[in-house]
Amino acid sequence: MAKPVILTVDDDPNVLSAVARDLRRRYAEQYRIVRADSGAAALEATRELRQRGEAVALFLADQRMPGMSGVEFLAQALPLFPQARRALLTAYADTEAAIQAINSAAVHYYLLKPWDPPEEQLYPVLDDLLEEWQASHSPIFEGIRLLGHRWSPEAHALKDFLARNHVPYLYFDLETDPQAHELLEQYGQPAPTLPLVRLVDGRWLVAPTVAELADQAGLLRQAAQTHYDLAIVGGGPAGLAAAVYGASEGLRTVLIEREAPGGQAGTSSRIENYLGFPSGLSGGDLARRAVAQARRFGVEILSPVEVIGMRIDGPYRFLQLNDGSEISTFAVVVAVGLSYRKLDAPGVEQLTGAGVYYGASLTEALSCQAQPVFIVGAGNSAGQAAIYLAEYAERVIMLVRGDSLGAKMSQYLVDRIEASPHIEVRLNSTVHAVHGSDHVEAVTVRAPDGSEERCPAAALFIFTGAMPCTEWLTDIVHLDRQGFIPTGPQVFEDGRRPKGWDVDREPFLLESSVPGVFVVGDARAGSVKRVASAVGEGSIAVQFVHQHLARLR
């Protein structure tokens, strides 16, 4: 197959030559470098590449060009190769235009001239952009094929699981996709119970559970060892950060995640206020990068595996897993995060997975094309989902129980929601009922004055107040009334030594009422519910783990 293309455009011959030279030096083995000396020439070359069926991985365009600026070229190239990464080369005086282009033309990054030395100023940025493109580009699909009905909760659970664990798959809808019937014919037997899964090696699974599919997809679900220095429960940003720092500092580290690495943040369509990513990144991208980094340092990641209990025996903390096995460790970092509260309204439970979804469920966005959808919630996750779904749905209606959208949501999201013509916000409004036989067809909304309105809907996405996933720690670690875990000074807040505190010292900052059991992220009492703070807590906790281990020696 032809190499994917990196297309660079600049009207200055000397600059164009220098850029092409540096690109060839680094990327010629994997990519074909194409040059253009104007925006119009670059656009023509892009159209020819599209017609020939070639792939473009990266556009690198100079901003200040006569006739067509770099931003204008990238905006016109976007619909031709929407998955390609887009970067601007700009002078310092044009940085304001470059920053604005991140929103107006979906530019991923801008680079300042001059970029010497390229090893420091050019290649790290382009390496990152090309890695992102490779992660989403599949020229020849060699993965799992999944056949099911659009409104099947079982098919939705498998799709969501595969997507969040970054397992390549193709989904075929039996009702709308002609290729689905071809896949069914390949099965060669009477119509089975759906969903139906064809594995890479040609074997078939009929209506598998998530655990069965995980085993066949090659995910690690059994620990390689019986004892570790550090065990982390929960694979969200906080847990992944603790895993990276723990393993990089020499600790034998295992991370146990009950669903998929990334946690709730992993389902976010776009995180735009995370430091160092001016164009934002999806929760899936963040999870993928963090998992790769953790594995590089030797972290053992078990997923999907659930911790159902813990027992203490001297310096050892034993984690009981849902397959009946145990793992012993000297220290535990609890990073279990939160789960969304169930919405108590008629029809919700019956239609969960068939149009009612908790969290963003990005796998279902395309099925909402040109149809109205509802979102319940007013936090950042709800705001990110609204902006993402507005790219597909005819209309996104946000139902906010309170009287302000900005009470719990970052201002940048509020501004973008208010500016979107496809998003409607209804304050002081709630879901009274959900209607449909086998899938969501309508939602009854209760207005502030008590009146009710039945509205057509293709889906309902729920982001209501979340509960900490700490039931397995009841009677072992001190929990507050809401199930969150007090740490540090909060442990001795009432002046009494809590049950289980058997060492002659004060708790470390992120330590729970049991020595050696640390808590980070959203499950910690008083935590800031933001990705950056979770990552910070996860990294800081490892320093206290070291201090705890030093006292055991």
Side-chain angles (χ1 to χ4, degrees), residues 352-380:
T352 295
V356 173
Y357 306 111
Y358 287 88
S361 190
L362 304 184
T363 56
E364 307 300 337
L366 284 175
S367 66
C368 300
Q369 195 93 30
Q371 300 177 79
V373 301
F374 282 77
I375 289 178
V376 179
N380 274 12

PDB file of all heavy atoms in Angstrom, residues 352-380:
ATOM      1  N   THR A 352     -32.780   1.531  29.408  1.00  0.00           N
ATOM      2  CA  THR A 352     -31.340   1.738  29.566  1.00  0.00           C
ATOM      3  C   THR A 352     -30.581   0.842  28.590  1.00  0.00           C
ATOM      4  O   THR A 352     -30.802  -0.362  28.529  1.00  0.00           O
ATOM      5  CB  THR A 352     -30.908   1.435  31.008  1.00  0.00           C
ATOM      6  OG1 THR A 352     -31.520   2.377  31.883  1.00  0.00           O
ATOM      7  CG2 THR A 352     -29.391   1.533  31.150  1.00  0.00           C
ATOM      8  N   GLY A 353     -29.715   1.449  27.806  1.00  0.00           N
ATOM      9  CA  GLY A 353     -28.990   0.730  26.768  1.00  0.00           C
ATOM     10  C   GLY A 353     -29.706   0.711  25.439  1.00  0.00           C
ATOM     11  O   GLY A 353     -29.142   0.273  24.435  1.00  0.00           O
ATOM     12  N   ALA A 354     -30.965   1.173  25.433  1.00  0.00           N
ATOM     13  CA  ALA A 354     -31.749   1.227  24.197  1.00  0.00           C
ATOM     14  C   ALA A 354     -32.240   2.654  23.960  1.00  0.00           C
ATOM     15  O   ALA A 354     -33.406   2.895  23.669  1.00  0.00           O
ATOM     16  CB  ALA A 354     -32.927   0.263  24.281  1.00  0.00           C
ATOM     17  N   GLY A 355     -31.338   3.587  24.111  1.00  0.00           N
ATOM     18  CA  GLY A 355     -31.672   4.999  23.945  1.00  0.00           C
ATOM     19  C   GLY A 355     -31.458   5.804  25.205  1.00  0.00           C
ATOM     20  O   GLY A 355     -31.320   7.023  25.148  1.00  0.00           O
ATOM     21  N   VAL A 356     -31.433   5.143  26.366  1.00  0.00           N
ATOM     22  CA  VAL A 356     -31.080   5.785  27.630  1.00  0.00           C
ATOM     23  C   VAL A 356     -29.663   5.368  27.973  1.00  0.00           C
ATOM     24  O   VAL A 356     -29.377   4.165  28.087  1.00  0.00           O
ATOM     25  CB  VAL A 356     -32.042   5.382  28.767  1.00  0.00           C
ATOM     26  CG1 VAL A 356     -31.542   5.937  30.106  1.00  0.00           C
ATOM     27  CG2 VAL A 356     -33.446   5.890  28.476  1.00  0.00           C
ATOM     28  N   TYR A 357     -28.774   6.346  28.119  1.00  0.00           N
ATOM     29  CA  TYR A 357     -27.364   6.048  28.361  1.00  0.00           C
ATOM     30  C   TYR A 357     -26.844   6.897  29.520  1.00  0.00           C
ATOM     31  O   TYR A 357     -27.151   8.084  29.612  1.00  0.00           O
ATOM     32  CB  TYR A 357     -26.529   6.337  27.108  1.00  0.00           C
ATOM     33  CG  TYR A 357     -27.040   5.637  25.875  1.00  0.00           C
ATOM     34  CD1 TYR A 357     -27.621   6.367  24.837  1.00  0.00           C
ATOM     35  CD2 TYR A 357     -26.958   4.260  25.749  1.00  0.00           C
ATOM     36  CE1 TYR A 357     -28.106   5.732  23.706  1.00  0.00           C
ATOM     37  CE2 TYR A 357     -27.434   3.616  24.621  1.00  0.00           C
ATOM     38  CZ  TYR A 357     -28.019   4.351  23.605  1.00  0.00           C
ATOM     39  OH  TYR A 357     -28.504   3.720  22.502  1.00  0.00           O
ATOM     40  N   TYR A 358     -26.056   6.268  30.386  1.00  0.00           N
ATOM     41  CA  TYR A 358     -25.390   6.993  31.464  1.00  0.00           C
ATOM     42  C   TYR A 358     -23.984   7.342  30.998  1.00  0.00           C
ATOM     43  O   TYR A 358     -23.203   6.463  30.632  1.00  0.00           O
ATOM     44  CB  TYR A 358     -25.340   6.143  32.734  1.00  0.00           C
ATOM     45  CG  TYR A 358     -26.690   6.020  33.396  1.00  0.00           C
ATOM     46  CD1 TYR A 358     -27.568   5.006  33.043  1.00  0.00           C
ATOM     47  CD2 TYR A 358     -27.102   6.951  34.354  1.00  0.00           C
ATOM     48  CE1 TYR A 358     -28.811   4.901  33.627  1.00  0.00           C
ATOM     49  CE2 TYR A 358     -28.354   6.855  34.948  1.00  0.00           C
ATOM     50  CZ  TYR A 358     -29.203   5.830  34.580  1.00  0.00           C
ATOM     51  OH  TYR A 358     -30.442   5.734  35.163  1.00  0.00           O
ATOM     52  N   GLY A 359     -23.678   8.630  30.982  1.00  0.00           N
ATOM     53  CA  GLY A 359     -22.416   9.083  30.436  1.00  0.00           C
ATOM     54  C   GLY A 359     -22.574   9.414  28.960  1.00  0.00           C
ATOM     55  O   GLY A 359     -23.660   9.320  28.383  1.00  0.00           O
ATOM     56  N   ALA A 360     -21.479   9.785  28.335  1.00  0.00           N
ATOM     57  CA  ALA A 360     -21.550  10.297  26.967  1.00  0.00           C
ATOM     58  C   ALA A 360     -21.897   9.220  25.953  1.00  0.00           C
ATOM     59  O   ALA A 360     -22.556   9.489  24.968  1.00  0.00           O
ATOM     60  CB  ALA A 360     -20.215  10.949  26.595  1.00  0.00           C
ATOM     61  N   SER A 361     -21.415   7.980  26.179  1.00  0.00           N
ATOM     62  CA  SER A 361     -21.669   6.890  25.229  1.00  0.00           C
ATOM     63  C   SER A 361     -21.406   7.350  23.801  1.00  0.00           C
ATOM     64  O   SER A 361     -22.296   7.381  22.948  1.00  0.00           O
ATOM     65  CB  SER A 361     -23.104   6.376  25.360  1.00  0.00           C
ATOM     66  OG  SER A 361     -23.264   5.187  24.621  1.00  0.00           O
ATOM     67  N   LEU A 362     -20.161   7.707  23.536  1.00  0.00           N
ATOM     68  CA  LEU A 362     -19.811   8.274  22.235  1.00  0.00           C
ATOM     69  C   LEU A 362     -20.073   7.307  21.092  1.00  0.00           C
ATOM     70  O   LEU A 362     -20.239   7.721  19.946  1.00  0.00           O
ATOM     71  CB  LEU A 362     -18.331   8.686  22.240  1.00  0.00           C
ATOM     72  CG  LEU A 362     -17.918   9.661  23.345  1.00  0.00           C
ATOM     73  CD1 LEU A 362     -16.473  10.055  23.180  1.00  0.00           C
ATOM     74  CD2 LEU A 362     -18.812  10.893  23.337  1.00  0.00           C
ATOM     75  N   THR A 363     -20.129   5.999  21.402  1.00  0.00           N
ATOM     76  CA  THR A 363     -20.386   5.021  20.354  1.00  0.00           C
ATOM     77  C   THR A 363     -21.768   5.190  19.741  1.00  0.00           C
ATOM     78  O   THR A 363     -22.035   4.686  18.648  1.00  0.00           O
ATOM     79  CB  THR A 363     -20.257   3.597  20.904  1.00  0.00           C
ATOM     80  OG1 THR A 363     -21.131   3.443  22.027  1.00  0.00           O
ATOM     81  CG2 THR A 363     -18.829   3.307  21.343  1.00  0.00           C
ATOM     82  N   GLU A 364     -22.676   5.890  20.439  1.00  0.00           N
ATOM     83  CA  GLU A 364     -24.038   6.041  19.950  1.00  0.00           C
ATOM     84  C   GLU A 364     -24.289   7.381  19.251  1.00  0.00           C
ATOM     85  O   GLU A 364     -25.393   7.653  18.798  1.00  0.00           O
ATOM     86  CB  GLU A 364     -25.036   5.885  21.106  1.00  0.00           C
ATOM     87  CG  GLU A 364     -24.864   4.613  21.913  1.00  0.00           C
ATOM     88  CD  GLU A 364     -25.022   3.358  21.064  1.00  0.00           C
ATOM     89  OE1 GLU A 364     -25.674   3.415  20.003  1.00  0.00           O
ATOM     90  OE2 GLU A 364     -24.482   2.312  21.464  1.00  0.00           O
ATOM     91  N   ALA A 365     -23.267   8.228  19.159  1.00  0.00           N
ATOM     92  CA  ALA A 365     -23.482   9.564  18.604  1.00  0.00           C
ATOM     93  C   ALA A 365     -23.966   9.515  17.158  1.00  0.00           C
ATOM     94  O   ALA A 365     -24.878  10.242  16.774  1.00  0.00           O
ATOM     95  CB  ALA A 365     -22.197  10.381  18.716  1.00  0.00           C
ATOM     96  N   LEU A 366     -23.370   8.652  16.345  1.00  0.00           N
ATOM     97  CA  LEU A 366     -23.743   8.599  14.934  1.00  0.00           C
ATOM     98  C   LEU A 366     -25.191   8.167  14.740  1.00  0.00           C
ATOM     99  O   LEU A 366     -25.850   8.582  13.783  1.00  0.00           O
ATOM    100  CB  LEU A 366     -22.812   7.641  14.191  1.00  0.00           C
ATOM    101  CG  LEU A 366     -21.409   8.165  13.880  1.00  0.00           C
ATOM    102  CD1 LEU A 366     -20.551   7.074  13.262  1.00  0.00           C
ATOM    103  CD2 LEU A 366     -21.472   9.365  12.945  1.00  0.00           C
ATOM    104  N   SER A 367     -25.695   7.341  15.658  1.00  0.00           N
ATOM    105  CA  SER A 367     -27.079   6.875  15.517  1.00  0.00           C
ATOM    106  C   SER A 367     -28.084   7.978  15.812  1.00  0.00           C
ATOM    107  O   SER A 367     -29.282   7.809  15.573  1.00  0.00           O
ATOM    108  CB  SER A 367     -27.323   5.681  16.450  1.00  0.00           C
ATOM    109  OG  SER A 367     -27.240   6.069  17.807  1.00  0.00           O
ATOM    110  N   CYS A 368     -27.612   9.117  16.329  1.00  0.00           N
ATOM    111  CA  CYS A 368     -28.492  10.250  16.639  1.00  0.00           C
ATOM    112  C   CYS A 368     -28.520  11.274  15.508  1.00  0.00           C
ATOM    113  O   CYS A 368     -29.029  12.387  15.683  1.00  0.00           O
ATOM    114  CB  CYS A 368     -28.044  10.932  17.929  1.00  0.00           C
ATOM    115  SG  CYS A 368     -28.060   9.858  19.378  1.00  0.00           S
ATOM    116  N   GLN A 369     -27.962  10.905  14.354  1.00  0.00           N
ATOM    117  CA  GLN A 369     -27.846  11.839  13.238  1.00  0.00           C
ATOM    118  C   GLN A 369     -29.210  12.443  12.888  1.00  0.00           C
ATOM    119  O   GLN A 369     -30.189  11.741  12.676  1.00  0.00           O
ATOM    120  CB  GLN A 369     -27.307  11.106  12.014  1.00  0.00           C
ATOM    121  CG  GLN A 369     -26.803  12.010  10.921  1.00  0.00           C
ATOM    122  CD  GLN A 369     -25.311  12.273  11.045  1.00  0.00           C
ATOM    123  OE1 GLN A 369     -24.570  11.444  11.524  1.00  0.00           O
ATOM    124  NE2 GLN A 369     -24.867  13.442  10.638  1.00  0.00           N
ATOM    125  N   ALA A 370     -29.243  13.798  12.881  1.00  0.00           N
ATOM    126  CA  ALA A 370     -30.434  14.550  12.452  1.00  0.00           C
ATOM    127  C   ALA A 370     -31.666  14.236  13.295  1.00  0.00           C
ATOM    128  O   ALA A 370     -32.789  14.321  12.805  1.00  0.00           O
ATOM    129  CB  ALA A 370     -30.717  14.290  10.975  1.00  0.00           C
ATOM    130  N   GLN A 371     -31.485  13.908  14.566  1.00  0.00           N
ATOM    131  CA  GLN A 371     -32.600  13.638  15.469  1.00  0.00           C
ATOM    132  C   GLN A 371     -32.391  14.422  16.772  1.00  0.00           C
ATOM    133  O   GLN A 371     -31.259  14.748  17.129  1.00  0.00           O
ATOM    134  CB  GLN A 371     -32.699  12.142  15.776  1.00  0.00           C
ATOM    135  CG  GLN A 371     -32.921  11.278  14.551  1.00  0.00           C
ATOM    136  CD  GLN A 371     -32.942   9.802  14.915  1.00  0.00           C
ATOM    137  OE1 GLN A 371     -33.932   9.282  15.411  1.00  0.00           O
ATOM    138  NE2 GLN A 371     -31.836   9.123  14.664  1.00  0.00           N
ATOM    139  N   PRO A 372     -33.468  14.709  17.496  1.00  0.00           N
ATOM    140  CA  PRO A 372     -33.317  15.423  18.771  1.00  0.00           C
ATOM    141  C   PRO A 372     -32.891  14.486  19.894  1.00  0.00           C
ATOM    142  O   PRO A 372     -33.339  13.335  19.964  1.00  0.00           O
ATOM    143  CB  PRO A 372     -34.725  15.979  19.023  1.00  0.00           C
ATOM    144  CG  PRO A 372     -35.634  15.009  18.333  1.00  0.00           C
ATOM    145  CD  PRO A 372     -34.883  14.510  17.136  1.00  0.00           C
ATOM    146  N   VAL A 373     -31.995  14.956  20.750  1.00  0.00           N
ATOM    147  CA  VAL A 373     -31.559  14.187  21.916  1.00  0.00           C
ATOM    148  C   VAL A 373     -31.617  15.074  23.153  1.00  0.00           C
ATOM    149  O   VAL A 373     -31.557  16.305  23.060  1.00  0.00           O
ATOM    150  CB  VAL A 373     -30.130  13.623  21.738  1.00  0.00           C
ATOM    151  CG1 VAL A 373     -30.048  12.713  20.524  1.00  0.00           C
ATOM    152  CG2 VAL A 373     -29.102  14.743  21.632  1.00  0.00           C
ATOM    153  N   PHE A 374     -31.725  14.431  24.321  1.00  0.00           N
ATOM    154  CA  PHE A 374     -31.792  15.145  25.592  1.00  0.00           C
ATOM    155  C   PHE A 374     -30.595  14.767  26.454  1.00  0.00           C
ATOM    156  O   PHE A 374     -30.119  13.631  26.412  1.00  0.00           O
ATOM    157  CB  PHE A 374     -33.089  14.808  26.331  1.00  0.00           C
ATOM    158  CG  PHE A 374     -34.296  15.520  25.799  1.00  0.00           C
ATOM    159  CD1 PHE A 374     -34.901  15.095  24.623  1.00  0.00           C
ATOM    160  CD2 PHE A 374     -34.835  16.610  26.466  1.00  0.00           C
ATOM    161  CE1 PHE A 374     -36.017  15.742  24.109  1.00  0.00           C
ATOM    162  CE2 PHE A 374     -35.941  17.274  25.972  1.00  0.00           C
ATOM    163  CZ  PHE A 374     -36.543  16.837  24.797  1.00  0.00           C
ATOM    164  N   ILE A 375     -30.128  15.757  27.226  1.00  0.00           N
ATOM    165  CA  ILE A 375     -29.056  15.551  28.200  1.00  0.00           C
ATOM    166  C   ILE A 375     -29.562  16.025  29.552  1.00  0.00           C
ATOM    167  O   ILE A 375     -30.120  17.121  29.660  1.00  0.00           O
ATOM    168  CB  ILE A 375     -27.776  16.317  27.811  1.00  0.00           C
ATOM    169  CG1 ILE A 375     -27.126  15.671  26.587  1.00  0.00           C
ATOM    170  CG2 ILE A 375     -26.792  16.373  28.971  1.00  0.00           C
ATOM    171  CD1 ILE A 375     -25.893  16.397  26.102  1.00  0.00           C
ATOM    172  N   VAL A 376     -29.368  15.196  30.580  1.00  0.00           N
ATOM    173  CA  VAL A 376     -29.725  15.572  31.939  1.00  0.00           C
ATOM    174  C   VAL A 376     -28.442  15.799  32.720  1.00  0.00           C
ATOM    175  O   VAL A 376     -27.618  14.887  32.856  1.00  0.00           O
ATOM    176  CB  VAL A 376     -30.573  14.482  32.622  1.00  0.00           C
ATOM    177  CG1 VAL A 376     -30.906  14.891  34.047  1.00  0.00           C
ATOM    178  CG2 VAL A 376     -31.846  14.221  31.827  1.00  0.00           C
ATOM    179  N   GLY A 377     -28.236  17.002  33.238  1.00  0.00           N
ATOM    180  CA  GLY A 377     -27.040  17.305  34.005  1.00  0.00           C
ATOM    181  C   GLY A 377     -26.487  18.669  33.659  1.00  0.00           C
ATOM    182  O   GLY A 377     -26.829  19.243  32.617  1.00  0.00           O
ATOM    183  N   ALA A 378     -25.624  19.185  34.543  1.00  0.00           N
ATOM    184  CA  ALA A 378     -25.084  20.526  34.337  1.00  0.00           C
ATOM    185  C   ALA A 378     -23.613  20.625  34.710  1.00  0.00           C
ATOM    186  O   ALA A 378     -23.098  21.716  34.915  1.00  0.00           O
ATOM    187  CB  ALA A 378     -25.885  21.534  35.159  1.00  0.00           C
ATOM    188  N   GLY A 379     -22.910  19.489  34.775  1.00  0.00           N
ATOM    189  CA  GLY A 379     -21.486  19.513  35.046  1.00  0.00           C
ATOM    190  C   GLY A 379     -20.677  19.566  33.762  1.00  0.00           C
ATOM    191  O   GLY A 379     -21.221  19.626  32.654  1.00  0.00           O
ATOM    192  N   ASN A 380     -19.357  19.500  33.898  1.00  0.00           N
ATOM    193  CA  ASN A 380     -18.493  19.575  32.720  1.00  0.00           C
ATOM    194  C   ASN A 380     -18.719  18.415  31.761  1.00  0.00           C
ATOM    195  O   ASN A 380     -18.684  18.588  30.544  1.00  0.00           O
ATOM    196  CB  ASN A 380     -17.023  19.618  33.147  1.00  0.00           C
ATOM    197  CG  ASN A 380     -16.564  21.034  33.446  1.00  0.00           C
ATOM    198  OD1 ASN A 380     -17.372  21.950  33.551  1.00  0.00           O
ATOM    199  ND2 ASN A 380     -15.268  21.209  33.601  1.00  0.00           N
TER     200      ASN A 380
END
